[in-house]
Amino acid sequence: MGKGRLFRIVCGVMIGIIVVVLIAVTVGDDDTSVDVSVDLSQPYADTTEWMSYLSDDLYISELSIPGTHNSAAEHVMLRYVMRCQNTDIKEQLENGYRYLDLRVALDEKTGQVKLVHNFVSCHTSSNPFSEYLYFDDVTAEIYSFLQQHSTETVIVNIKIEDGDHSISDIQAQLLSEIKSNKDYWYYENEIPTLKEARGRIVLATRFEDEAGTGITGLPMAWDEQDNKTPTDIPYELYVNDEFRYWVQDRYNYTVEDKYDAVVDGLENCEADDNTFFLNFVSTTGDGKIGHPYGYAKNLNSLLLEYQFKNNTSYGIIIVDFGTEDLARQVYYTNTF
């Protein structure tokens, strides 16, 4: 092979690699709208204060609650494979979502807790050189929302995704933020009623209490459900001293298998005053490279078409690229 031909082949391969990387870094999807008929005549169609129409006596585990998966992963590098939302925390709350899935790690330079999606940091804007999104940035948005809408509550489930620092170090930073704003937090290890939770963040955690603080909120750690081959029962039960929780989080399923798992959870959901049901609609698919938006567009369309029953608790339904109508589809099932 001549040197000229070899050079052209190498250049072609390099250009191909660069194009793939640029697509992975920069390409995002913003059109997540789906044509669906949602009754907007109901007073609780207002997504900012839908909880105001619910009874104080209900336990939050008895509710149908829309949530977002990897809630802070809007502005990230490798957007094609890492981006899970196209709205920020403020807009998610205004759109009716009351469960936030936050993944955190320590910023080596500042020592602050930052938001991440696996090994990728979350940013404050689409500019890849923008500041990192920090935990106190997110909590400030939630505090502001709760100040304006005191009838609402927000469940914040925190998972540590940091292989370089100890859980106890990160716990210390998280606890500092919580103690500094303790009036905004419910961090008991028991499920609150809506009356107890209104105007507050309900803390849930997916990590062990390595620091021995005794403050973990609702402990909700579960085993990775990373199998690609469907199981007969796609959800698993976990029991602690105070409550139970079912989890369906098969994140390596195809769209078809994932939807079957979601529906199985909806039809066999056990959510009551002492039992949560977390039903993840999100998936990365069973291939080598995931594309959250592509899967979410199909799954969210199917969820909007699903015939939910009124006056029924479906637990917490957690989605990628959540919209207002999708949130309404979930929370309309509550007993108003």
Side-chain angles (χ1 to χ4, degrees):
M1 182 184 298
K3 291 183 178 179
R5 184 181 178 190
L6 178 61
F7 177 77
R8 288 193 297 273
I9 292 174
V10 170
C11 286
V13 171
M14 291 301 295
I15 291 171
I17 292 172
I18 291 171
V19 169
V20 170
V21 170
L22 286 174
I23 290 174
V25 170
T26 61
V27 170
D29 300 284
D30 294 303
D31 182 14
T32 54
S33 59
V34 177
D35 291 331
V36 63
S37 177
V38 175
D39 183 5
L40 299 181
S41 66
Q42 301 293 343
Y44 46 81
D46 177 5
T47 53
T48 62
E49 294 193 340
W50 61 268
M51 285 182 161
S52 66
Y53 296 91
L54 299 177
S55 169
D56 276 346
D57 298 330
L58 290 168
Y59 287 87
I60 63 170
S61 54
E62 294 181 277
L63 305 178
S64 295
I65 297 177
T68 54
H69 162 251
N70 256 306
S71 306
E74 178 191 13
H75 301 303
V76 290
M77 299 291 284
L78 303 173
R79 288 162 51 127
Y80 185 87
V81 295
M82 289 295 189
R83 192 185 193 200
C84 295
Q85 303 298 329
N86 61 352
T87 53
D88 59 22
I89 297 298
K90 178 177 182 291
E91 190 170 353
Q92 289 172 36
L93 295 173
E94 292 173 346
N95 286 348
Y97 292 90
R98 297 292 178 267
Y99 173 97
L100 300 178
D101 167 27
L102 302 182
R103 315 295 176 91
V104 302
L106 275 188
D107 180 357
E108 190 70 41
K109 292 183 178 179
T110 66
Q112 293 175 273
V113 177
K114 64 179 179 178
L115 277 297
V116 298
H117 178 186
N118 202 317
F119 61 88
V120 173
S121 298
C122 300
H123 290 258
T124 56
S125 77
S126 58
N127 181 344
F129 301 104
S130 63
E131 297 291 328
Y132 289 151
L133 182 66
Y134 290 108
F135 184 67
D136 55 5
D137 295 327
V138 172
T139 55
E141 291 290 358
I142 305 174
Y143 301 153
S144 177
F145 176 81
L146 292 174
Q147 287 170 3
Q148 298 171 55
H149 308 285
S150 59
T151 60
E152 310 303 288
T153 185
V154 182
I155 302 171
V156 169
N157 201 342
I158 302 173
K159 181 182 180 184
I160 295 175
E161 294 189 340
D162 188 333
D164 299 322
H165 302 91
S166 70
I167 291 176
S168 57
D169 285 343
I170 300 173
Q171 270 188 282
Q173 297 292 330
L174 295 172
L175 193 57
S176 175
E177 169 64 24
I178 292 170
K179 285 186 174 180
S180 297
N181 298 276
K182 60 182 180 180
D183 290 343
Y184 283 106
W185 290 86
Y186 178 94
Y187 46 79
E188 303 298 325
N189 179 14
E190 56 184 24
I191 300 173
T193 62
L194 192 50
K195 180 178 181 179
E196 294 172 314
R198 290 193 196 275
R200 303 168 79 183
I201 300 170
V202 176
L203 174 66
T205 52
R206 288 179 63 182
F207 53 84
E208 297 297 323
D209 184 14
E210 281 192 2
T213 64
I215 299 177
T216 59
L218 303 172
M220 284 189 177
W222 60 84
D223 298 328
E224 293 292 318
Q225 298 182 8
D226 55 358
N227 57 297
K228 296 182 179 181
T229 302
T231 59
D232 291 337
I233 301 177
Y235 35 86
E236 296 181 12
L237 176 64
Y238 297 86
V239 181
N240 61 35
D241 293 338
E242 300 297 331
F243 64 94
R244 310 186 311 160
Y245 55 105
W246 292 90
V247 180
Q248 182 285 114
D249 186 19
R250 305 291 172 176
Y251 58 84
N252 278 336
Y253 276 12
T254 64
V255 167
E256 181 180 358
D257 290 337
K258 183 64 176 185
Y259 184 64
D260 287 344
V262 171
V263 171
D264 195 327
L266 296 175
E267 295 179 349
N268 297 285
C269 174
E270 291 185 26
D272 55 38
D273 60 350
N274 195 48
T275 308
F276 280 104
F277 197 107
L278 284 73
N279 201 351
F280 283 80
V281 184
S282 53
T283 184
T284 61
D286 63 348
K288 292 183 178 180
I289 298 178
H291 181 33
Y293 169 78
Y295 302 126
K297 190 167 185 178
N298 290 325
L299 285 163
N300 291 355
S301 296
L302 290 169
L303 193 62
L304 282 165
E305 295 169 0
Y306 182 78
Q307 297 299 307
F308 285 92
K309 299 176 183 178
N310 293 329
N311 303 319
T312 301
S313 171
Y314 287 99
I316 304 171
I317 300 177
I318 304 152
V319 303
D320 283 337
F321 296 94
T323 63
E324 281 183 292
D325 282 342
L326 194 56
R328 291 189 181 102
Q329 175 81 330
V330 173
Y331 78 69
Y332 271 22
T333 67
N334 289 296
T335 303
F336 288 98

